[in-house]
Amino acid sequence: MVEHVLKTNFWAYEKGPIFYSAMGDLFGNGIFNVDGHEWKMQRRLASHIMNVKAFREYTSDVFVKEGEKVIEYLGKAADAGTVVDFHLLMLQFTLDSFGSISFGESFGCLDNIDKPVDFAVSFDDLTGVCSDRLVDPTWKIREMFSSVGKKASYDKELIGKHAFKLIEKRRREGFHGTKKDLLQLFMDTKDDNGQPLSDDMLKDAILNFTIAGRDTTAQALSWMFYSLNREGADQIVLDTLVQEVDDVLQGGQPTYETYKQQKFAEAWYVCETGLIHKKKIDLPSLQPANIPSHPGLRLFPSVPRNLKQCVQDDILPDGTHIYKGEWFTWSSYVMGRSELVWGADAKEYKPSRWIGTEKPSQGKFSSFHAGPRVCIGQQFATIEALTMIAMILSKFRIELVEPNKLPAYGVSVTLPMLDGLPIRVHRRNDVKEE
């Protein structure tokens, strides 16, 4: 049924007014909050920076550069024995990386890692408030008579001002790069009347693509490293990842070419986040053709729940009638753990379920949506994540402060860790420092 709604009969379902109203302060008229022509235009523009040539440049020019700041910070923490919030660190890494690629400048999170960045704090707070609205039909009244509404207005103004500053700076200084970034592509676009997009439309584009480029990848990395190092984790999985990183990098830095050789890491990151495996992994058997192209994480999907409003009467595959104005909701989080969908071993980590088998349908594995709105940045996110995985595992061993505790989930449209992921870092004894 999910595939029917998201793909087969795509045009019969839209975001709808409830979603638009609840998320409006954050998304405005950006790609996540609109349908039809507006959505098509924004998706088409974003596709121009999601290509192989660009990926090669991003890996060495941005991901490794920002990743080196992460490695330096982790090295200092290892030497001092201090605790690091890994979840926060990954959010800082992905935000700075995405800012550099899409808007021409970093947000500066990694320049002073221990100092909170106002934009990031307000962005997270407003995301939480907007997400709460989706489950509270009385949110307008509640916010009117509480401090929540005032805080939301403050956060909206702060992140909006930051976006407007980026736009104003670009208009003042112009663009001098060899390849247009996302901001410039939008600034060069005309609307239906042949006029440039307004600053409000540009601001909405910045904020929408920021949550796409920052939150999902950072959270996926956090859940992956939690799963690798939690109590009861299978050491074979981690050993195999480290072996692959050492074999591929040979002591050097990640590149687009080394990314393509991280077969096990990609299968692990893209398809599963769990931890039950008692069999040595055969790396040569992991050929690219055997790795599913579907993005996302089965057990910890980046977008754990979603909804669509029916805009024309329809009949679902099971015969259920759904009428115009009614809602269709689903949870990728629940589906990824359902025995009805995946069998009796649904909660087990089993890379073998993805190797040499038929790829699951987009309806079955919808962690990054499906159909025309399937995540456009899936390869971008995978390259960024595998670059960071390689850089960390080639230098350090991670230890969870609370290995027997499942991190609590934060309120959001994505799946953040409420209290972060506290870790201790240890340098690998078998790695010679340069």
Side-chain angles (χ1 to χ4, degrees), residues 223-238 241 264 268 272-278 298-300 346-351 353 400 403:
W223 287 113
M224 175 179 179
F225 274 89
Y226 157 73
S227 298
L228 282 172
N229 296 282
R230 71 181 183 180
E231 187 175 83
D234 186 351
Q235 188 64 35
I236 291 176
V237 174
L238 181 56
L241 284 168
F264 181 69
W268 205 99
E272 298 274 324
T273 301
L275 213 57
I276 299 178
H277 191 78
K278 300 298 180 184
R298 184 176 65 88
L299 296 179
F300 295 104
K347 296 182 178 64
E348 296 182 10
Y349 163 60
K350 290 183 65 176
R353 79 171 79 241
L400 299 183

Side-chain angles (χ1 to χ4, degrees), residues 71 245-246 251-253 390-397 425-434:
I71 296 303
V245 166
D246 290 347
Q253 293 282 36
M391 294 182 75
I392 292 175
L393 293 183
S394 67
K395 299 287 186 182
F396 304 107
R397 179 174 60 83
V425 190
H426 307 278
R427 293 186 184 274
R428 285 178 51 185
N429 297 327
D430 58 331
V431 175
K432 183 179 180 180
E433 297 294 331
E434 296 181 357

Side-chain angles (χ1 to χ4, degrees), residues 284-304:
S285 71
L286 286 167
Q287 299 302 319
N290 294 331
I291 300 174
S293 59
H294 303 275
L297 301 171
R298 184 176 65 88
L299 296 179
F300 295 104
S302 298
V303 181

Side-chain angles (χ1 to χ4, degrees), residues 113-163:
I113 292 176
D114 294 319
K115 180 181 179 181
V117 173
D118 290 341
F119 174 88
V121 173
S122 287
F123 194 86
D124 287 339
D125 290 347
L126 185 58
T127 301
V129 170
C130 290
S131 300
D132 273 339
R133 294 172 180 174
L134 288 172
V135 294
D136 180 8
T138 66
W139 67 266
K140 291 183 179 179
I141 298 175
R142 173 173 56 84
E143 291 185 16
M144 186 183 301
F145 295 101
S146 70
S147 61
V148 175
K150 292 181 179 179
K151 181 62 166 60
S153 296
Y154 168 83
D155 291 332
K156 178 184 177 181
E157 182 179 8
L158 188 149
I159 63 177
K161 283 182 176 179
H162 185 91

Side-chain angles (χ1 to χ4, degrees), residues 362-391:
Q362 290 186 334
K364 181 177 180 179
F365 192 59
S366 61
S367 298
F368 263 79
H369 223 69
R373 293 190 83 133
V374 69
C375 177
I376 194 173
Q378 54 188 274
Q379 190 176 3
F380 174 98
T382 302
I383 295 171
E384 181 179 25
L386 264 61
T387 299
M388 179 49 57
I389 291 168
M391 294 182 75

Side-chain angles (χ1 to χ4, degrees), residues 160-407:
K161 283 182 176 179
H162 185 91
F164 286 134
K165 284 182 180 179
L166 291 174
I167 297 166
E168 191 276 330
K169 181 179 179 182
R170 179 62 59 85
R171 292 197 193 282
R172 183 179 68 251
E173 299 180 359
F175 180 73
H176 305 291
T178 57
K179 180 179 176 60
K180 292 182 180 180
D181 58 17
L182 191 62
L183 176 57
Q184 195 61 41
L185 286 168
F186 275 90
M187 292 182 74
D188 289 346
T189 296
K190 308 294 183 182
D191 63 19
D192 292 338
N193 298 316
Q195 298 298 313
L197 301 183
S198 68
D199 284 0
D200 280 331
M201 293 183 71
L202 294 173
K203 179 260 294 180
D204 291 342
I206 288 174
L207 298 181
N208 276 249
F209 283 101
T210 295
I211 195 171
R214 170 197 183 231
D215 292 37
T216 54
T217 305
Q219 291 161 16
L221 280 166
S222 300
W223 287 113
M224 175 179 179
F225 274 89
Y226 157 73
S227 298
L228 282 172
N229 296 282
R230 71 181 183 180
E231 187 175 83
D234 186 351
Q235 188 64 35
I236 291 176
V237 174
L238 181 56
D239 289 345
T240 305
L241 284 168
V242 173
Q243 173 197 329
E244 180 180 69
V245 166
D246 290 347
D247 291 344
V248 170
L249 294 189
Q250 294 290 312
Q253 293 282 36
T255 65
Y256 181 73
E257 298 306 319
T258 62
Y259 144 73
K260 293 191 295 183
Q261 297 176 55
Q262 290 179 253
K263 299 171 185 176
F264 181 69
E266 183 173 7
W268 205 99
Y269 168 79
V270 172
C271 308
E272 298 274 324
T273 301
L275 213 57
I276 299 178
H277 191 78
K278 300 298 180 184
K279 180 179 178 182
K280 183 173 177 58
I281 294 96
D282 179 22
L283 287 177
S285 71
L286 286 167
Q287 299 302 319
N290 294 331
I291 300 174
S293 59
H294 303 275
L297 301 171
R298 184 176 65 88
L299 296 179
F300 295 104
S302 298
V303 181
R305 59 183 180 180
N306 219 320
L307 73 164
K308 288 276 192 175
Q309 185 173 34
C310 183
V311 295
Q312 63 184 50
D313 293 353
D314 190 24
I315 301 177
L316 299 177
D318 68 347
T320 301
H321 286 257
I322 182 168
Y323 300 100
K324 180 179 179 180
E326 294 184 332
W327 290 89
F328 181 91
T329 66
W330 74 100
S331 171
S332 297
Y333 180 92
V334 173
M335 290 172 61
R337 297 158 183 265
S338 171
E339 293 185 3
L340 292 176
V341 177
W342 295 100
D345 60 354
K347 296 182 178 64
E348 296 182 10
Y349 163 60
K350 290 183 65 176
S352 57
R353 79 171 79 241
W354 303 100
I355 301 170
T357 60
E358 184 178 345
K359 297 177 182 178
S361 69
Q362 290 186 334
K364 181 177 180 179
F365 192 59
S366 61
S367 298
F368 263 79
H369 223 69
R373 293 190 83 133
V374 69
C375 177
I376 194 173
Q378 54 188 274
Q379 190 176 3
F380 174 98
T382 302
I383 295 171
E384 181 179 25
L386 264 61
T387 299
M388 179 49 57
I389 291 168
M391 294 182 75
I392 292 175
L393 293 183
S394 67
K395 299 287 186 182
F396 304 107
R397 179 174 60 83
I398 303 300
E399 174 193 358
L400 299 183
V401 172
E402 298 180 284
N404 59 345
K405 177 183 177 182
L406 175 67

